[in-house]
Amino acid sequence: MHVSTYLGLLRHAEGALADAFDQIGQGHGDEPDVVQLCELLAGKSRAHVEQLQAAVDRYGEDADNEPERLKAAEFGGARSGGVGLLRDLQDLYALGSFVDVTWTVIAQAAQGLRDPDLLQTASACQAETSQQLTWLNTRIKQAAPQALIVAP
Amino acid sequence: MAEDEVDRWVQSACVLCSNGCACDIAVKDGRMVGVRGRAGDRINHGRLGPKGLYASWQWSDQDRLTRPLVRQNGTLVEASWDAAMDRIVAESKRRQPLQHGFYTSGQLFLEEYYTLAVIGKAGLGTPHMDGNTRLCTATAAASLKETFGSDGQPGSYNDIEACDALFLFGHNMAATQTVLWSRVLDRIEGADTPAVVAVDPRMTAVAETAVRTGGVHLRPLPGTNQALMNGLIHELIAHDWIDRAWVDEHTLGYDDLAQTVEPYTPVKVAEICEVPAPDLRRAAEIFGTSERVLSTVLQGFYQSHQATAASCQVNNLHLLRGMIGKPGCGVLQMNGQPTAENTRECGADGDLPGFRNWANPDHIDELAQLWNVDRQVIPHWAPPTHAMQLWRYVEQGSIDFLWISATNPAVSLPALGRIREILGKQELFLVVQDGFFTETAAYADVVLPAALWGEKQGTFTNASRTVHLSEQAVAPPGEARSDLEIFLDYAERMDFRDRDGHRLIGWKTPEGAFDAWKECSRGRPCDYSGLTYDALRGESGIPWPCTADQPEGTDRLYADAVFPTDPAVCEDFGHDLTTGGSTTPEKYKAQQPGGKAFLKAADFRPPPETTSAEFPLIGTTGRSPYHFHTRTKTGRSPRLRRAEPRMWVELSEQDAAELQVAAGETVVVESARGRVEAECRVGTLRPGVLFLPFHFGYWDNADGPPTAANEVTITEWDPVSKQPLFKVAAVRVRKVKR
Ligand code: SF4
């Protein structure tokens, strides 16, 4: 059974997403909305890591020997300037999408396992992942024209 | 001056707050010499307040700007209009649309906003247009869009006479709209007094009235409004004070709302907000058991943390009880500035004209057709740039052409140290258009002298949708021109053309602009198509929507409980109240709103700035009843100057005792951003909170200590309405030893 592999993958990815939100928030101190929302949304991913614990207790977690390619790419550190902000938000979006689809995988598994608790966790957490992606999408759309066309 | 000495009376309405009291201007020998209220008007019934009486015209011949000024070798020197406008046009022409920003006001007339909006959206094609109204009215608009699908004030002032309970949420009406407050006092002192509930951390005249008449005064800790509101809704649901059948028929989102407020028991809310649980229960009971509740909302909510979320909860209270669109049952999401409503309608605040939805391609096509321009010119590819973001782009240098009209950001924006640095940037080309040489004008490259109220013609709309015509009473001073003339001159020199090569802007007069606007508004919720200047010359102002079928206008919206949420109609597809993330069109349509209102929910979260050992108090800002904005007009009225001559800081009795300061002594208030020095007043605020009026800048106090409240405020804004947070700055206070 590979559920444990995917639980490990998801916990790692949520942790990486939380760290990336934190780093990007801190790296863009002059954009108050980015600071505030990255802090809030990092907290959501961190809470998801906790919420996965019950499932990990049931199915185990293959964190150590998971194949390297089953790991989410980690974030490399905040950039600066208008285009830098855009790229950072885009990295968050990529990581968040990875988390999103991984929740879909886990939810499917939960159906097959007839595990209502895991299914409930997956749907609640995925709703918050979607909240993260929605904000990122909105902010990226806002920042893009200015950053690409006229940023000095 | 006696009434019979006056040469003539000219119809107008006061522009010193959002009430828009109808008045006549007295003219003698070509000068404004007085005002009187218009008895037949639906808004003020003849009354005027202190600002209307003593500041509407007294400024008119005091140190006005009378000639354009252009910066040469570092100093501003007088120039001709041609020289000034040619300079602006030359700078404008060598830049891309996205390098242009426009920061306007809540003080211009409808005709001026609409013209500016067409210049920005169809001429240049820049999304960077917003104004001082972002600081004042953005949350009112945002909360109406989130709940009802479109902007548009649901209630009517006539609900004051018909209600049996009145809730004022963060609205010190006695200071902000004195004449509206006197309408309330008529009820309070009359036969059947309504129950009054005031939500305000200060013991204002409104709060005193609530207490005196057996109502409730709730004093939540600044920044905790959302918890308080969730608590009120929790109580409504817990006691089944809701009209479930109406809710099912006319709203969406009940289950989510009920689930969100579940944890907000009175005990928990009492802890977060530091209000007594019995007071909260009593307030909820009044809301839950009265038959006709009127709610008003203002800056205590709009300029505070989770502004849109908390204001939406006021709408929710009404929806849960089915109390909307009926006499006495209304919501008044207010605004502060006199013509703020028109920036929202005309799109000078970044929105699209006529409450059109930037994410709806059909709405963009309507505008493209109306203006006969390519739809790609109209900036609709992303949410319009809000003021705080606009200033950030100026700070970063991607906007380096900024045109400020009729407002004074060097005093009114938060964290002034930063704003002065932005205004002072070498690379920035700055145009300031105003009646006076303001603190902001000092930074300009070109200063344009503008005609003010009474010196030009135009219309404007008050907080309850009532439109008034303000006629020109006198000639502007010197070479000053109306803002409309200035914008038209710019458009002419820029040679903006439509798709067929005709002039983009075909009008030359205020009435011409009004007629163009009528066409733009036709069929939209803010329909002006049945209004004319002539109709507005009658007894009273007229509330929109006003159509050929309904020439007398509309007193109250949503009498049929059908809300403009249909995807083809709505102004916005809505947002997540916590993050501000936009709902996609697909998601919005999937909810099948079709005329139902949204019960939007959000959890409370702590404010971005909280007190610390270093900054142990919360500073909050607000108004005096005797001044408007940065006092450019009211500060030049001798009576009002005497009534409120200088800056002060209000401390609670407890905090004053602890700091050992007495009333009249000088204190310094400091935050991480800056400091203010002023005389101390001791009031009945809640301990831990201090109050700073925001009117006192530097035009008459150049060498004194810092007095502008915004020296200490923070650069933060609401995620949905983008309105800055003026109400929650962590500060410390010390006494100045003399
Ligand atoms: S209430 Fe407002 S509009 Fe009326 S007179 Fe006073 S300042 Fe003017």
Side-chain angles (χ1 to χ4, degrees):
Chain A
M1 198 161 84
H2 297 290
V3 173
S4 59
T5 314
Y6 256 76
L7 288 174
L9 174 67
L10 183 51
R11 286 237 293 186
H12 176 268
E14 284 279 24
L17 181 58
D19 290 346
F21 266 120
D22 274 341
Q23 284 180 48
I24 289 172
Q26 285 154 15
H28 294 276
D30 290 334
E31 314 287 347
D33 59 333
V34 174
V35 176
Q36 283 297 316
L37 283 152
C38 284
E39 192 190 312
L40 173 80
L41 298 175
K44 303 243 175 199
S45 282
R46 212 145 268 140
H48 294 176
V49 175
E50 298 287 309
Q51 281 162 274
L52 275 167
Q53 188 60 49
V56 167
D57 291 345
R58 285 201 293 285
Y59 303 105
E61 177 184 34
D62 283 337
D64 292 336
N65 47 13
E66 88 201 39
E68 199 45 42
R69 63 208 185 86
L70 265 182
K71 234 181 186 178
E74 280 177 54
F75 178 65
R79 305 164 173 95
S80 66
V83 178
L85 173 66
L86 193 61
R87 285 288 290 114
D88 284 351
L89 295 174
Q90 226 178 321
D91 277 355
L92 280 173
Y93 194 88
L95 202 45
S97 307
F98 182 83
V99 168
D100 181 52
V101 76
T102 310
W103 276 116
T104 303
V105 171
I106 291 291
Q108 290 300 102
Q111 304 263 21
L113 291 163
R114 301 188 192 158
D115 181 340
D117 289 346
L118 182 55
L119 190 60
Q120 163 66 30
T121 304
S123 91
C125 291
Q126 200 174 10
E128 292 189 327
T129 307
S130 144
Q131 184 184 35
Q132 292 171 327
L133 292 174
T134 302
W135 175 72
L136 285 166
N137 189 278
T138 305
R139 194 63 177 82
I140 286 168
K141 274 179 103 171
Q142 184 203 331
Q146 201 70 8
L148 296 193
I149 301 171
V150 281
Chain B
M1 178 166 305
E3 206 156 349
D4 56 359
E5 292 172 61
V6 169
D7 293 342
R8 60 199 175 98
W9 293 93
V10 179
Q11 181 169 359
S12 182
C14 174
V15 279
L16 290 164
C17 84
S18 65
N19 215 48
C21 296
C23 62
D24 292 319
I25 306 169
V27 180
K28 172 80 178 164
D29 300 332
R31 295 178 61 238
M32 294 191 270
V33 293
V35 286
R36 67 178 180 202
R38 288 174 65 85
D41 192 83
R42 67 193 308 268
I43 297 303
N44 57 322
H45 306 312
R47 280 175 170 148
L48 292 175
K51 279 183 291 180
L53 282 172
Y54 301 121
S56 50
W57 51 275
Q58 287 86 341
W59 43 263
S60 63
D61 42 15
Q62 291 184 50
D63 40 71
R64 290 287 299 281
L65 287 167
T66 55
R67 292 201 70 195
L69 306 172
V70 173
R71 194 168 293 278
Q72 269 172 12
N73 306 323
T75 35
L76 285 167
V77 294
E78 287 194 355
S80 68
W81 273 101
D82 273 337
M85 293 308 289
D86 283 346
R87 174 87 196 277
I88 293 171
V89 167
E91 293 284 347
S92 190
K93 279 192 169 158
R94 63 182 190 84
R95 286 173 169 83
Q96 300 199 42
L98 294 185
Q99 286 172 281
H100 290 77
F102 291 83
Y103 188 70
T104 184
S105 166
Q107 264 83 239
L108 299 184
F109 289 162
L110 176 152
E111 294 77 359
E112 295 166 333
Y113 292 133
Y114 183 59
T115 304
L116 182 61
V118 178
I119 288 174
K121 290 171 218 308
L124 284 166
T126 174
H128 309 317
M129 180 181 293
D130 199 356
N132 192 60
T133 49
R134 184 65 59 183
L135 322 181
C136 134
T137 186
T139 303
S143 68
L144 293 170
K145 288 183 224 177
E146 294 298 326
T147 303
F148 303 114
S150 171
D151 196 352
Q153 184 71 279
S156 156
Y157 284 2
N158 292 332
D159 292 330
I160 292 172
E161 282 78 38
C163 68
D164 64 353
L166 176 63
F167 278 66
L168 297 108
F169 294 97
H171 184 190
N172 182 10
M173 193 194 279
T176 56
Q177 291 96 359
T178 55
V179 172
L180 191 58
W181 180 239
S182 58
R183 252 178 106 155
V184 171
L185 288 178
D186 286 345
R187 278 302 309 281
I188 302 281
E189 308 304 333
D192 72 290
T193 306
V196 178
V197 176
V199 179
D200 199 314
R202 295 167 70 206
M203 179 54 99
T204 58
V206 171
E208 270 167 26
T209 305
V211 172
R212 176 167 63 81
T213 56
V216 184
H217 175 203
L218 296 169
R219 299 203 286 177
L221 204 59
T224 65
N225 291 334
Q226 181 61 16
L228 185 93
M229 297 308 294
N230 281 348
L232 289 174
I233 292 178
H234 174 278
E235 284 300 277
L236 242 60
I237 292 175
H239 291 88
D240 199 26
W241 287 319
I242 57 178
D243 185 341
R244 203 45 216 264
W246 196 95
V247 167
D248 287 345
E249 199 178 335
H250 299 292
T251 71
L252 288 169
Y254 177 80
D255 292 340
D256 189 31
L257 178 66
Q259 199 188 335
T260 305
V261 302
E262 242 248 344
Y264 293 86
T265 61
V267 174
K268 174 171 167 173
V269 172
E271 212 172 281
I272 299 173
C273 305
E274 295 181 17
V275 297
D279 286 358
L280 185 82
R281 289 201 184 94
R282 173 86 186 107
E285 188 188 349
I286 294 175
F287 204 105
T289 58
S290 299
E291 273 163 34
R292 294 175 308 280
V293 186
L294 172 63
S295 295
T296 74
V297 196
L298 197 58
Q299 309 308 359
F301 272 41
Y302 299 165
Q303 294 179 340
S304 192
H305 177 54
Q306 294 191 286
T308 308
S311 304
C312 281
Q313 304 317 308
V314 178
N315 300 341
N316 287 350
L317 285 170
H318 283 265
L319 291 171
L320 287 171
R321 296 220 54 216
M323 284 192 177
I324 192 115
K326 301 171 202 160
C329 305
V331 182
L332 292 169
Q333 297 280 0
M334 299 292 295
N335 48 9
Q337 295 173 84
T339 71
E341 174 55 36
N342 302 107
T343 63
R344 282 152 59 180
E345 298 160 10
C346 297
D349 65 343
D351 287 342
L352 290 177
F355 297 161
R356 283 181 177 81
N357 185 347
W358 63 268
N360 181 340
D362 295 339
H363 285 192
I364 307 304
D365 286 339
E366 279 171 29
L367 288 176
Q369 208 166 12
L370 179 77
W371 296 330
N372 192 24
V373 295
D374 181 353
R375 69 195 304 279
Q376 285 308 319
V377 177
I378 303 170
H380 66 281
W381 50 77
T385 313
H386 61 91
M388 299 307 288
Q389 188 64 51
L390 194 155
W391 284 93
R392 174 73 182 134
Y393 288 151
V394 179
E395 185 175 38
Q396 289 177 309
S398 68
I399 294 177
D400 58 0
F401 175 106
L402 181 63
W403 189 328
I404 298 172
S405 44
T407 192
N408 194 9
V411 182
S412 55
L413 278 175
L416 289 180
R418 169 175 175 254
I419 299 303
R420 284 187 291 260
E421 264 173 40
I422 298 175
L423 286 168
K425 279 173 62 111
Q426 267 307 317
E427 318 78 68
L428 174 66
F429 179 74
L430 180 68
V431 181
V432 174
Q433 171 174 330
D434 208 307
F436 302 94
F437 194 79
T438 60
E439 291 86 338
T440 306
Y443 294 91
D445 294 290
V446 176
V447 179
L448 302 175
L452 298 172
W453 178 89
E455 299 163 353
K456 60 181 183 179
Q457 186 189 40
T459 56
F460 56 95
T461 306
N462 91 334
S464 69
R465 292 174 280 105
T466 297
V467 188
H468 287 111
L469 173 65
S470 182
E471 301 274 21
Q472 181 172 355
V474 298
E479 295 176 23
R481 292 179 181 173
S482 77
D483 299 270
L484 179 66
E485 282 173 271
I486 298 171
F487 294 145
L488 289 174
D489 186 16
Y490 171 72
E492 173 92 27
R493 288 174 201 256
M494 289 295 287
D495 199 26
F496 295 128
R497 299 274 162 173
D498 70 10
R499 251 193 310 215
D500 299 327
H502 297 125
R503 273 207 177 80
L504 173 68
I505 295 178
W507 53 91
K508 295 207 158 12
T509 61
E511 198 162 358
F514 188 79
D515 287 340
W517 162 247
K518 276 165 57 177
E519 279 319 303
C520 181
S521 74
R522 189 184 292 278
R524 295 296 301 155
C526 52
D527 197 325
Y528 278 63
S529 60
L531 280 171
T532 60
Y533 271 24
D534 264 351
L536 292 169
R537 289 190 177 106
E539 268 298 283
S540 172
I542 298 172
W544 61 252
C546 176
T547 58
D549 298 341
Q550 216 169 333
E552 72 292 351
T554 310
D555 191 23
R556 195 174 283 108
L557 300 185
Y558 312 137
D560 53 0
V562 175
F563 304 98
T565 51
D566 186 286
V569 178
C570 70
E571 182 181 6
D572 205 295
F573 294 131
H575 300 82
D576 171 22
L577 295 186
T578 302
T579 63
S582 307
T583 309
T584 60
E586 300 75 36
K587 262 195 179 165
Y588 184 87
K589 286 172 191 161
Q591 302 173 81
Q592 300 191 307
K596 291 183 179 181
F598 295 100
L599 293 163
K600 288 231 164 175
D603 249 318
F604 163 73
R605 47 184 304 248
E609 184 159 280
T610 46
T611 53
S612 60
E614 199 185 355
F615 298 109
L617 300 170
I618 300 177
T620 174
T621 70
R623 288 171 220 241
S624 152
Y626 304 111
H627 285 300
F628 179 70
H629 204 227
T630 59
R631 290 178 309 126
T632 44
K633 287 176 176 176
T634 53
R636 289 177 169 91
S637 155
R639 288 234 197 189
L640 298 184
R641 246 192 123 80
R642 243 177 287 138
E644 208 82 277
R646 68 189 82 84
M647 179 62 180
W648 81 93
V649 175
E650 190 178 310
L651 291 177
S652 73
E653 280 165 25
Q654 290 87 330
D655 291 328
E658 214 163 278
L659 292 157
Q660 299 186 325
V661 280
E665 292 184 312
T666 305
V667 293
V668 169
V669 179
E670 286 165 308
S671 75
R673 274 78 51 190
R675 58 189 276 273
V676 164
E677 190 175 320
E679 180 185 314
C680 171
R681 287 186 193 170
V682 179
T684 38
L685 284 102
R686 61 167 303 141
V689 177
L690 65 82
F691 173 81
L692 301 154
F694 59 56
H695 308 289
F696 299 91
Y698 305 105
W699 59 266
D700 53 350
N701 168 36
D703 310 316
T707 52
N710 282 315
E711 302 292 352
V712 304
T713 47
I714 52 174
T715 307
E716 294 284 352
W717 56 86
D718 180 68
V720 181
S721 69
K722 322 294 185 197
Q723 186 155 350
L725 268 64
F726 290 98
K727 306 292 193 196
V728 285
V731 297
R732 63 175 171 236
V733 186
R734 63 185 160 81
K735 183 154 113 175
V736 176
K737 305 248 161 42
R738 297 243 182 234

